[in-house]
Amino acid sequence: MKIATDVDRCVGAGQCVLAEPAVFDQDESDGTVVLLTDSVDGETAERVREATHICPAQALSILD
């Protein structure tokens, strides 16, 4: 599964980082999402799906 982020939409809530810290981080200067990898599978993919659903700004996308 491929993942994309829209930094312009991101509000820095950090819900993605809480859902899957191996895939998402936050920029130290403004708190926006930083993608650590753009491809995942297995259990990590399920947590990434959850992160996309709980993102308040809808700044995450799944590209499969």
Side-chain angles (χ1 to χ4, degrees), residues 13-31:
Q15 296 302 306
C16 56
V17 179
L18 293 174
E20 187 46 68
V23 175
F24 304 105
D25 199 356
Q26 288 182 278
D27 186 281
E28 288 185 26
S29 64
D30 62 5

Side-chain angles (χ1 to χ4, degrees), residues 22-44:
V23 175
F24 304 105
D25 199 356
Q26 288 182 278
D27 186 281
E28 288 185 26
S29 64
D30 62 5
T32 56
V33 64
V34 174
L35 195 58
L36 301 176
T37 182
D38 67 350
S39 182
V40 297
D41 57 16
E43 288 182 30
T44 302

